[in-house]
Amino acid sequence: AQTVTQSQPEMSVQEAETVTLSCTYDTSENNYYLFWYKQPPSRQMILVIRQEAYKQQNATENRFSVNFQKAAKSFSLKISDSQLGDTAMYFCAFIIIQGAQKLVFGQGTRLTINP
Amino acid sequence: DAGITQSPRHKVTETGTPVTLRCHQTENHRYMYWYRQDPGHGLRLIHYSYGVKDTDKGEVSDGYSVSRSKTEDFLLTLESATSSQTSVYFCAISDQVSNTGELFFGEGSRLTVL
């Protein structure tokens, strides 16, 4: 079974600080994608960043970057220069490329950025 | 934004009544999904569809059925709603042709079963 674990239910940092959200996953497959989704209070699911498992280079999107450790099955999200608008639930997820593409989610981390 | 519309957006119903949630897409994507979101569980897959009349179960399918008679519509039915089905339900679609793996989500439907 494919599983995703986010061990930090809640985190809180001051504006402009850097914060890292943890995620581990379990799969016996080799070809998959990993994602971080953001869910603000509006409830909309927003893709933050995406990583292909076959790529060794860590993905970056502006202030967002990941630390992908394939052997350890770890996929953490780093948010630099955090902003008030980053306050949201963050979900780690992965999807197997072959067959039906079913996205498997972690439990989520509620991140609060304080002014 | 991907063209996904969920209806209704909010519904309150009583235990034992049937409920149908509708997901409508304008993207002509092959894959459609229904997830439920509950505190402490993230999003869990209920059912998904990989084409017209082709559906399969997810990890929390008990008490739910789905139908897809047209590419653009994916219906989720609770035959006899229970309080444990109080949740926020998300529809999602996927373009397997581009194979980016990304799912696009609707805005969610909040269902309360009293």
Side-chain angles (χ1 to χ4, degrees), chain B residues 63-106:
Chain B
Y64 301 95
S65 62
V66 290
S67 66
R68 191 168 178 201
S69 58
K70 302 185 288 186
T71 298
E72 57 266 35
D73 289 326
F74 192 33
L75 304 181
L76 176 70
T77 297
L78 291 65
E79 300 289 349
S80 178
T82 67
S83 57
S84 64
Q85 293 176 311
T86 292
S87 187
V88 178
Y89 291 85
F90 283 93
C91 175
I93 64 175
S94 171
D95 176 15
Q96 198 180 33
V97 173
S98 67
N99 207 23
T100 64
E102 182 180 356
L103 267 62
F104 301 93
F105 287 84

Side-chain angles (χ1 to χ4, degrees), chain B residues 13 39 45 49 81 92:
Chain B
T13 191
L45 183 64
S49 169

Side-chain angles (χ1 to χ4, degrees), chain A residues 35-52:
Chain A
F35 305 90
W36 279 98
Y37 277 88
K38 169 184 177 181
Q39 187 182 45
S42 67
R43 213 164 63 192
Q44 184 67 38
M45 294 291 288
I46 302 166
L47 180 65
V48 175
I49 200 165
R50 172 177 169 269
Q51 172 82 42
E52 293 92 335

Side-chain angles (χ1 to χ4, degrees), chain A residues 2 4 33-37 45 47 91-96 100-106, chain B residues 33 35 43-45 48 59 92 101-105:
Chain A
Q2 334 282 357
V4 179
Y33 298 138
L34 293 154
F35 305 90
W36 279 98
Y37 277 88
M45 294 291 288
L47 180 65
F91 293 99
C92 177
F94 83 97
I95 197 165
I96 307 300
Q101 295 187 345
K102 296 180 283 184
L103 198 60
V104 179
F105 285 88
Chain B
Y33 309 80
Y35 285 86
L43 279 77
R44 294 178 292 174
L45 183 64
Y48 66 99
E59 62 178 306
E102 182 180 356
L103 267 62
F104 301 93
F105 287 84

Side-chain angles (χ1 to χ4, degrees), chain A residues 26-74:
Chain A
D26 189 24
T27 181
S28 57
E29 301 288 337
N30 253 327
N31 296 320
Y32 50 88
Y33 298 138
L34 293 154
F35 305 90
W36 279 98
Y37 277 88
K38 169 184 177 181
Q39 187 182 45
S42 67
R43 213 164 63 192
Q44 184 67 38
M45 294 291 288
I46 302 166
L47 180 65
V48 175
I49 200 165
R50 172 177 169 269
Q51 172 82 42
E52 293 92 335
Y54 64 86
K55 288 188 178 179
Q56 292 187 335
Q57 185 173 7
N58 290 322
T60 62
E61 287 288 340
N62 301 314
R63 298 182 295 106
F64 298 87
S65 62
V66 298
N67 183 2
F68 174 45
Q69 303 289 329
K70 190 173 184 179
K73 296 181 181 175
S74 170

Side-chain angles (χ1 to χ4, degrees), chain B residues 35-54:
Chain B
Y35 285 86
R36 63 176 287 174
Q37 181 179 8
D38 304 288
H41 292 279
L43 279 77
R44 294 178 292 174
L45 183 64
I46 305 171
H47 282 280
Y48 66 99
S49 169
Y50 45 97
V52 174
K53 297 186 179 174
D54 292 324

